[in-house]
Amino acid sequence: MKNSIKVQRAIHDMTQADLAQAIGVSRQTINAMEKNKYVPSTVLSLKIAKLFKKPLEEIFFLEETD
Amino acid sequence: MKNSIKVQRAIHDMTQADLAQAIGVSRQTINAMEKNKYVPSTVLSLKIAKLFKKPLEEIFFLEETD
DNA sequence: TCTAAATGTAAAGTTTGTTTTACTTTTGTG
DNA sequence: CACAAAAGTAAAACAAACTTTACATTTAGA
């Protein structure tokens, strides 16, 4: 799975730390997500989509390998 | 987080086992999700939304406590 | 009612998400 | 350049997702 969190952060002018605090996770969790180190839980992705006011599917994308 | 997987299964006339096989998890995983035993990964929820041809937010909902 | 299919549940084990701490590297701005 | 903020990274520890096996309960149909 891939995501466009970094782009959304740029649009909203937020740092990784800002986003982390806004949704209640550690900064490393945001960083790892952006670097595709792991797949976040659905609660996390829903919170991020909600914060950025976008459908979840516009931020998180399935890949062939998923 | 809550979800309407059971309703979607009914609409598509699928058993828990059918759905499990369709998205590549165990039947117990589907059962546990329906009973809100745990929060699925974003890959799982995306696959389910895709299978049922619905926006993810129409199947998985954040709650106050999330 | 009898039976089979479907669902619910539970425990043990493995894998993966997430946190914490801490340090390095990059980037932007004076 | 110099400094600070932001981003990248890494390892250990813990929490949660997911599997497997196995069995009990419910539901639907002959």
Side-chain angles (χ1 to χ4, degrees):
Chain A
M1 196 190 69
K2 294 205 299 186
N3 68 77
S4 60
I5 295 175
K6 190 170 185 173
V7 172
Q8 292 299 317
R9 270 200 308 108
I11 292 173
H12 293 263
D13 194 25
M14 297 180 81
T15 67
Q16 292 181 343
D18 290 338
L19 177 55
Q21 191 184 11
I23 64 176
V25 294
S26 69
R27 183 181 65 82
Q28 283 72 1
T29 294
I30 301 297
N31 185 75
M33 286 176 56
E34 290 190 4
K35 306 298 279 183
N36 291 313
K37 293 274 180 60
Y38 60 73
V39 175
S41 75
T42 301
V43 164
L44 255 193
S45 52
L46 277 173
K47 283 183 178 176
I48 291 174
K50 183 180 182 183
L51 180 69
F52 291 143
K53 300 189 174 105
K54 289 266 184 185
L56 193 143
E57 284 92 340
E58 286 185 24
I59 301 179
F60 299 90
F61 324 96
L62 284 178
E63 293 179 288
E64 307 291 338
T65 54
D66 288 328
Chain B
M1 196 191 68
K2 296 206 298 187
N3 68 77
S4 61
I5 295 174
K6 190 169 185 172
V7 173
Q8 292 299 317
R9 273 199 307 108
I11 293 174
H12 293 264
D13 194 24
M14 297 179 80
T15 67
Q16 292 181 343
D18 289 337
L19 177 55
Q21 191 183 13
I23 65 176
V25 294
S26 70
R27 181 181 67 81
Q28 283 74 0
T29 294
I30 300 297
N31 186 76
M33 286 176 56
E34 289 191 6
K35 306 299 277 185
N36 291 313
K37 292 274 181 60
Y38 61 73
V39 175
S41 74
T42 302
V43 164
L44 254 193
S45 53
L46 277 173
K47 283 183 179 178
I48 290 174
K50 183 180 182 184
L51 180 69
F52 291 144
K53 300 192 174 104
K54 288 266 185 187
L56 193 143
E57 283 92 340
E58 286 185 25
I59 303 179
F60 299 89
F61 326 95
L62 283 177
E63 295 178 288
E64 307 291 339
T65 53
D66 288 327

